[in-house]
Amino acid sequence: MEPYKVLLADDEEDIRVGISQKMDWAELGFTLVGEADNGQDALELAESLLPDVVLTDIKMPFLDGLELCRILTEQLPASKFVVFSGFDDFEYAKQAIKLNVTEYILKPVNVEELTAILKRIKGNLDQEIEQKRNVNLLRENYIRSLPILRENFLNELVSHSMDPKIVESRMREYDLDLLGA
């Protein structure tokens, strides 16, 4: 499986460098695909790189981290967002929760905490992919089975009396038009 893509946005260079260099991205199943020192650059990078995870500071020039998350939630609904802040302010946390931010952590960000968060996020992303795969498999199996289901329904319809509501429902479900309309 390909590693998940991470975008890192923080206006403090030492924090960006620290996170980008201290994390063992490959070991965690991620790759750091981009870094930005302000929210506007992060937005532009996200639109082109389509990251699975966005790590962002809450306070940045041009576009703050919460606004970045709000915009990207609409554009990249499957992405996960981790917001870090030097502000121990409940209002920021409350806004982050409303934006479906996956994690809100206070600075200074330490490697152990971020590693644990990324492991959880990877588990969630893996699970979502598996669920989508299972749904697709079910859809494919249903489509392959549709001719048999139609045949069985038509045999049952010819040989037994059926409730008209059931007949109508199954005709819609099996995409059958017995009236030739």
Side-chain angles (χ1 to χ4, degrees):
M1 183 186 302
E2 297 244 344
Y4 295 109
K5 297 184 286 187
V6 176
L7 173 63
L8 173 60
D10 197 310
D11 59 327
E12 296 178 55
E13 184 178 5
D14 56 327
I15 300 223
R16 265 193 341 273
V17 169
I19 290 173
S20 67
Q21 292 180 357
K22 290 181 182 175
M23 299 302 297
D24 189 348
W25 299 105
E27 174 73 24
L28 293 168
F30 293 93
T31 184
L32 185 62
V33 293
E35 296 181 38
D37 62 2
N38 67 68
Q40 187 60 45
D41 288 350
L43 178 60
E44 291 170 13
L45 280 172
E47 290 171 342
S48 65
L49 298 173
L50 307 174
D52 301 296
V53 179
V54 176
L55 306 175
T56 181
D57 187 12
I58 205 160
K59 289 283 190 184
M60 290 185 294
F62 307 118
L63 187 68
D64 71 33
L66 290 180
E67 185 64 11
L68 175 66
C69 291
R70 187 191 65 71
I71 294 167
L72 291 178
T73 296
E74 293 173 14
Q75 295 179 3
L76 305 169
S79 291
K80 307 296 182 203
F81 302 95
V82 177
V83 174
F84 29 89
S85 171
F87 304 97
D88 189 9
D89 187 339
F90 182 67
E91 277 307 306
Y92 285 119
K94 219 164 65 173
Q95 289 176 33
I97 289 168
K98 287 180 185 175
L99 293 170
N100 290 329
V101 168
T102 307
E103 296 281 344
Y104 179 91
I105 56 178
L106 294 176
K107 288 182 179 178
V109 177
N110 68 58
V111 173
E112 295 79 20
E113 182 178 17
L114 190 52
T115 296
I117 288 169
L118 288 171
K119 283 180 180 179
R120 273 197 307 274
I121 290 173
K122 183 182 183 308
N124 291 340
L125 288 168
D126 289 347
Q127 191 173 35
E128 288 172 14
I129 286 173
E130 184 65 22
Q131 287 172 347
K132 285 177 188 172
R133 191 171 86 55
N134 288 342
V135 166
N136 287 337
L137 284 174
L138 284 172
R139 185 176 295 119
E140 288 170 14
N141 285 336
Y142 176 77
I143 289 169
R144 273 198 303 270
S145 300
L146 198 52
I148 296 168
L149 292 169
R150 287 178 179 150
E151 183 179 337
N152 287 343
F153 165 67
L154 292 172
N155 286 335
E156 191 176 340
L157 183 62
V158 169
S159 61
H160 298 91
S161 175
M162 293 179 73
D163 182 329
K165 289 181 181 180
I166 292 174
V167 171
E168 185 180 334
S169 168
R170 286 196 186 161
M171 285 176 59
R172 268 195 313 273
E173 182 181 342
Y174 300 151
D175 195 28
L176 290 171
D177 181 12
L178 298 179
L179 302 176

